Amino acid sequence: MEQNAGAYRGCLLGLAVGDAMGFAIDGNSWEEIRSAYGPDGLLGYDLQEQDYAETSSHTQLAAFLCNGLLLSVTRGKADRLRFGRLALQEWSRGQMFHRDQEDSWCWVAKLPCFRRRHCRDSRMEEGLRQDIYGTVDAPRNRNNAPGAITGAVTVGMFYNPDRLAPPQVGVLAAELMALTHGDPTTILSAVVLAYTITGILQEPHIPLIRQFQQAIAVMEGQFREKFSQAEALAGRLQDAITLAQSGSVSPQEGMEALGCRDTAGCLAGAIFACLAGPEDFDRAIITAVNHSGMSSAVGAITGAILGAKLGEAALPEFYLESLECCSQLQTLAEDLVCGTPALGVFDEAWDRKYLQGLPL
């Protein structure tokens, strides 16, 4: 159990590390990054303005969704989508200038680090405030930005046989993404990422390249009849695998070639970065954020994948010692592993978090 918990903690902490590192340079060109940080780009957190590594909405969304899905288990409700939506709505209220004072469902909503106004996708935030949300069959927009992609990491972490059947991982990831993002390739990218995380956590002995290939194949088999874009996405992600395996380009050249500006591009970039440094978390994160694209999204995806694969112990201490909300992220990860207390057993900490909505 402890080894498994280390993988879960590594996944959520790795996500936050990659997000925090990429946040400082998100959207900057490679030339701008080199001008600011030197010829090799950003090699660690930029802590010039504060003494802690600040995360963005990528980490916030993952934390809120962890909280929401655990609420669905605690309250005995099978409607995972409803509780996921409630959690995302609470996150969006925390991004408003005039914030609601009403009681919240999620204990993470009480923590300032999960309520800072750092949304990376204004269309997503706006969509969460509407009365009608998109679905897989009835999209509300064509948004392809990577603002909600870390929700797929949480879905992958949430899986165990007592909660979901394996195909439901893809269904839930697609449904949650479709709430705010109607672009088919974006929805399918969430499916691939969710299956990748589930595969790593459930079968850690399988090499990373095979985890990616299996997740891509499962996505294509499950959704190709519904989405004609499934084959093209599979090809795009396979190209990232091939490029990483070829060794024909430098890390920065590879990241630039993959165009990490939409969700599919960010996932392709993360796959490339992971395979460029599959046993070296630091090297992979540096590759993941140094490019002319969405650095925090690619960093978050890369960190989650390698954190799950290598475990918490493989994350360098210098990344964790200044990471905000580190202990709360560890708590969420451990709660996902353990699940609810045994029937008839009272757990004061669990009751406080998932029934009263209060932090410890």
Side-chain angles (χ1 to χ4, degrees), residues 15 20 37 44 66 102 113-114 125 130 137-138 143 148-149 193 275 344 350 360:
L15 185 158
Y37 298 100
C66 284
E102 65 188 59
C113 61
F114 293 132
E125 182 187 351
Q130 307 301 314
D137 294 321
N143 190 3
I149 188 60
L193 180 54
L275 294 177
W350 193 277
L360 297 178

Side-chain angles (χ1 to χ4, degrees), residues 4-18:
N4 199 30
Y8 277 70
R9 290 193 298 266
C11 184
L12 207 49
L13 291 173
L15 185 158
V17 168

Side-chain angles (χ1 to χ4, degrees), residues 68-140:
L69 292 177
L70 286 167
L71 279 171
S72 75
V73 174
T74 304
R75 294 169 182 269
K77 305 292 185 181
D79 193 349
R80 313 301 188 201
L81 180 61
R82 173 174 173 262
F83 279 90
R85 186 178 67 245
L86 287 171
L88 296 178
Q89 287 172 327
E90 285 206 355
W91 168 78
S92 71
R93 288 200 298 270
Q95 297 294 297
M96 299 171 67
F97 281 113
H98 301 290
R99 300 177 182 180
D100 291 350
Q101 298 300 311
E102 65 188 59
D103 291 338
S104 62
W105 289 77
C106 297
W107 63 269
V108 297
K110 308 293 196 305
L111 302 172
C113 61
F114 293 132
R115 291 174 62 87
R116 290 198 180 96
R117 301 188 71 255
H118 288 329
C119 182
R120 314 310 294 157
D121 184 348
S122 58
R123 289 180 68 191
M124 172 189 68
E125 182 187 351
E126 208 172 283
L128 286 169
R129 296 177 189 162
Q130 307 301 314
D131 293 331
I132 301 176
Y133 297 93
T135 68
V136 173
D137 294 321
R140 295 280 292 170

Side-chain angles (χ1 to χ4, degrees), residues 211-276:
Q211 296 282 10
F212 290 134
Q213 291 169 335
Q214 288 179 5
I216 293 167
V218 172
M219 174 279 296
E220 193 172 10
Q222 187 175 10
F223 287 95
R224 63 187 170 197
E225 291 187 7
K226 181 178 287 292
F227 293 118
S228 61
Q229 296 86 349
E231 182 178 357
L233 175 63
R236 185 175 180 181
L237 299 181
Q238 184 58 52
D239 287 346
I241 295 172
T242 302
L243 187 63
Q245 292 295 104
S246 72
S248 61
V249 297
S250 70
Q252 285 71 32
E253 289 171 335
M255 296 300 289
E256 292 295 296
L258 292 168
C260 308
R261 293 177 179 82
D262 59 8
T263 301
C266 289
L267 178 57
I271 289 172
F272 176 89
C274 286
L275 294 177

Side-chain angles (χ1 to χ4, degrees), residues 186-219:
T186 299
I187 293 170
L188 295 173
S189 296
V191 173
V192 173
L193 180 54
Y195 277 129
T196 298
I197 296 295
T198 291
I200 291 170
L201 293 173
Q202 299 299 316
E203 299 181 296
H205 60 282
I206 294 179
L208 195 55
I209 187 169
R210 281 185 56 204
Q211 296 282 10
F212 290 134
Q213 291 169 335
Q214 288 179 5
I216 293 167
V218 172
M219 174 279 296

Side-chain angles (χ1 to χ4, degrees), residues 273 277-285 306 310 314 316:
E279 301 298 328
D280 188 338
F281 183 89
D282 188 36
R283 177 186 173 190
I285 288 296
L306 276 191
L310 303 177

